[in-house]
Amino acid sequence: MDFKYLWLIPLCPLIGVFINAFIGHLLPRKVSGAIASLAVLGSLIVSVMGLLHLLGLPEDQRVLHQSLFDWIATGAVHTQVAFVLDPLSAVMVCVVSGIGFLIHVYSMGYMAHDPRYPRFFAYMNLFTFAMLLLVLADNFLLMYVGWEGVALCSYLLIGFWFERPSAAAAGQKAFIVNRVGDWCFILGMLFIFVTFGSLTFQDVFAKVAAAPLAVPTVTMTIICLLLFAGATGKSAQIPLYVWLPDAMEGPTPVSALIHAATMVTAGVYMVARCHILFVHAPVALMVVAGIGAATALFAALIGLVQNDIKRVLAYSTVSQLGYMFMACGVGAFAAGIFHVMTHAFFKALLFLGSGSVIHAMHDEQDIRRMGGLSRWMPVTTWTFWIATLAIAGIPLFSGFISKDQILWYAFSSPLGGVVLWTVGVVTALLTAFYMARVTYKTFHGQPRMDEETQRHIHESPASMSIVLILLAVGAVFAGFLNMPEALMKIAPIGWLTHLFGASAETFSDFLAPSVGTQADVARALEMLHRQIVPTSHVWEMRLMGVTVVLSVLGIYAGYQMYVRKPGSAWSIARSAPWLYNLLLNKFYVDEFYKAVVVRPGMGLAYFLWRGIDVLVIDAIVNAVATIVGIFSHLFRGLQTGYVRNYAAGMVLGAIVVIWVLTR
């Protein structure tokens, strides 16, 4: 169906960009921030209207489309600027605009004294616009415009405080690393166009659905691997994850926007959008699941010993994104997107909570110099605890429901198994421990800051605290939108779920027309002669119980090591210094990249500059100029300006010509 108002969703923040970019410096600060926030609120209102419109349609007709104009129409290429709102994009635009709106409101208090206040909000609105464009695009080419737009905005916002060398370097790192993934994404699009003759989602996916075996499996696998390589850049997976921890150099609201609502979710969304391609490339799906699981565990291990509060949260994002890709890799695309939604609430809450702490501690980010903040900052403390319990997977917080669904599908899916489930469970244990560590060391125990800092610690203003409370509500209750059927049999849980107007796996059922179901994945795998192993849901509660016990043990271990016996953690670290240093230095991956990629690349660039550009190209150009200069110096003596000299020259020339002709 056509829907006339989809264009308003990305337009609203774009209007905010132009207002703050051109006249923001003429407006009072509160007006500038309010315009940016209201622009995103406008997107949220239209997004909710579109969602409600979808819900009023039959399940097989839940697609709203709006074509604005022809963009490229030449030869075989016919691409429009057109938007599509289906269950998948509806969820994403609501998450982007909803969480984005709260982050904008929070930023009005957090950035109140920054001298580049209007520029900050212009960049934030531009970031939101680019992500909404990416999500709403009905073709790969328009998606790629948004894809590059969020990369540009991440560069601008990570390096927003560019006077700091570390911030400028972090912005450059994010931009360059993403170029690697984007190059693969472009190659994937070219393969799609050559194979299917179109870049429009509907055309490509319809051809695959109509003749799933018409395209060789090898070709489909190459396409999917190239697309996923692009996703590893945007969504910070091995080996292109290294930019995201350094992105903490930007203002904290930027970190929240990147990690919760924009940028890093783009890769997961793209894989889910292209699910029909991936389910016909099982090897690519296994790569997605394997990389996701490895990244989840790898980042969780690094997060165990980091001391910068935002860096711990950054590695937790990398780890949680690994869970999302693991879900997509085993064919549970709806579970992956559901974790995107719940993660948006508790990760935004964690980052904005850390921003509240940093704001109160006068830009201090080292948790070793904090402690005891709960006595001064009760709202921040308890909302941060809610987010911690959600990401740790404590029942019945939203993170518990979404993460355990991923673990169940990782175990029961024909593309999953015990190995993936084990990695996921170990990661859950580590997540509970390192999040307990950062929470206990920040808010509990004895204060470790100086007395001068203690005298100025205070709770954040209402514009920040109210946002924390609203996000905390989402972190608690968002999970009830997709309650597993196994938990629905428990009376209080079933009653609460029905209170929200939901039934078992309502969210997954809503997404099914866009991302398929487990049954669709099974049928596709059977068509490709993959064995389907039946599983029993009796195991779901047992496996869930194992995860819950381990998560509780992780939090308890954090309490023992950082509250009851604060010195025990350091004793453990000294007993295995090589392991502690390995984790503290992030497995030396940055050093490895610097030695293997950066330095050789800089050496090659220096050779091309000094050896080729200067010694060859410049030398040739300079030689031509020198020769011309020499001849001009020789002949300029003939240009005296006297008529008699020119007449004498003409006579002499005529004599020479006559002499030559008469010989």
Side-chain angles (χ1 to χ4, degrees), residues 494-524:
W495 180 80
L496 282 172
T497 303
H498 290 304
L499 186 65
F500 283 91
S503 57
E505 301 195 5
T506 300
F507 188 88
S508 295
D509 293 339
F510 175 67
L511 281 183
S514 297
V515 299
T517 64
Q518 289 298 107
D520 297 329
V521 175
R523 282 193 295 271

Side-chain angles (χ1 to χ4, degrees), residues 590-606:
D590 282 316
E591 289 78 3
F592 173 78
Y593 280 168
K594 188 173 183 179
V596 174
V597 179
V598 177
R599 286 179 179 170
M602 292 180 67
L604 177 62
Y606 185 83

